[in-house]
Amino acid sequence: MLGFRELIILVLFIGGPLAIGFVIWRTSRRASNTAARLANLDALRASGRVTAAEYERQRASIISGV
């Protein structure tokens, strides 16, 4: 049976790296999502489906969410 000391050691050595990995994963996922949204917006502008003013407004909105 694990004692309190062993439990703390397990939490520090296993829980810490897992938490750091989760933060890195979420950050990279958010960055790739932002890049995809900006690329989609660029494609819409290039096809003429979005006006220049709407493009700038949407781009600012995407970037502010980072």
Side-chain angles (χ1 to χ4, degrees):
M1 181 164 199
L2 292 177
F4 183 73
R5 182 184 301 175
E6 290 83 8
L7 184 62
I8 295 298
I9 290 171
L10 280 175
V11 168
L12 290 176
F13 284 107
I14 295 174
L18 284 176
I20 292 170
F22 179 75
V23 169
I24 292 171
W25 174 74
R26 290 278 297 174
T27 303
S28 66
R29 187 172 155 202
R30 184 179 301 146
S32 65
N33 186 31
T34 300
R37 290 177 64 199
L38 287 171
N40 186 33
L41 185 60
D42 286 341
L44 289 173
R45 182 183 63 167
S47 69
R49 293 183 184 168
V50 175
T51 65
E54 181 66 13
Y55 171 81
E56 291 300 327
R57 189 181 69 74
Q58 287 293 330
R59 186 174 186 280
S61 174
I62 292 169
I63 292 172
S64 71
V66 173

